[in-house]
Amino acid sequence: MVDNDKIEALVTQAAVAFSQAEANGSLDELAQARAAHTGKDSPLRAMQRTLGGLSNEDRRLVGSQIQTGLKQMESVLAGAEDRLRARDLQARLVRETVDVTADIQLHPVGAVHPLTGLIHRMCDVFVAMGWQVAEGPEAEAEWLNFDALNFTADHPARFMSDTLFLDPPENHRLLRTHTSPVQMRALLSRSLPVYVVAPGKVYRADEYDATHLPVFHQIEGLAVDKGLSMADLKGTLDHLARAMFGSQVRTRLRPHYFPFTEPSAEMDLLCFVCHGASATDPSKPCRTCKSQGWIEWGGCGVVNPAVLRAAGVDSNVYSGFAFGMGVDRTVMFRNNASDLRDFVEADVRFSRQLEGVAR
Ligand code: PHE
């Protein structure tokens, strides 16, 4: 006959094993102790299996004592397990703490190149007036770069040492020396009236120094419509100048020559360093404008009727104006960048410095 003391002794043994496992901080050990003390091979279960041989009355009594013992074991076990899991969680929370104030080195972020930023800004000025943005290839047909723009076959500019022709010579291809070939492309591919700007790279076999790059940027403009004149050109470029440099900017048109415009001019900006003073006061020489008082910004003029005719446009009905402004110079003036080489040396610190201001 099983006595209750024995059951209570088993419960005590189980409780000791459970708290041992808890003290050791081991959920595995707790699971083993649970199997050993409440599983089917445990002494209490074995005792349960002998119940069949008892009288009805004893079976009921001992059966319920065993049940009570099992319940006690389970409740001790549940307490130990709860505390162990809570401790585990606590340890994990500490282990996986993230210090949000830690100073970590993120991958450095790039920056929009100042020239790209400014080109977008310049285009925006024209898009706001309803103009369109056009593009042309940098490897260009000689015909579009020169012939169509009214450069005669023997025009010196064509063979001047600064044009970079592409091999083989019989293909008559070159790296465009200006963005003006896009004028012809626009006239040939669009219907009139045409109002386009075309920013991009141009190539000349120039020196590489603080004020010259063999690759630089222009923004070409072409407007062809009925009744356009030099006055529209001046108004448009003055608007661009104010958008770029502020309302206090001073501009002037200086007569010049281009085969594809007639009359032609260059637009100058009053020197942003000496404000013109160096031109009249020999005691104040200025390096930026070479004491001229003015700085050349770009070429412009009324589109030569010969160019319109080359594009199949009736020059008796339509007229237009065109310009090609230096983008690199514009950034230099706007941002006091004094060395053009900084623009091509791919140092992101330079781009970051100018990013906010150039856009
Ligand atoms: N293409 C000329 C240059 O590179 C500039 C220009 C453009 C002049 C359009 C007149 C009209 O110097």
Side-chain angles (χ1 to χ4, degrees), residues 23 114 116 123 194 199 218-219 268 271 288 290 294 310 322 334 338:
T116 308
C123 286
V194 163
Q218 291 184 330
I219 184 163
D268 295 337
C271 177
T288 305
K290 301 194 178 71
W294 297 84
R334 274 170 59 89
S338 55

Side-chain angles (χ1 to χ4, degrees), residues 131 193-196 221-225 228 236 303 308 319-323:
W131 293 45
V194 163
Y195 288 86
V196 292
L222 174 70
V224 175
D225 203 342
L228 291 181
T236 304
V303 179
L308 296 178
S319 61
F321 63 84
F323 56 83

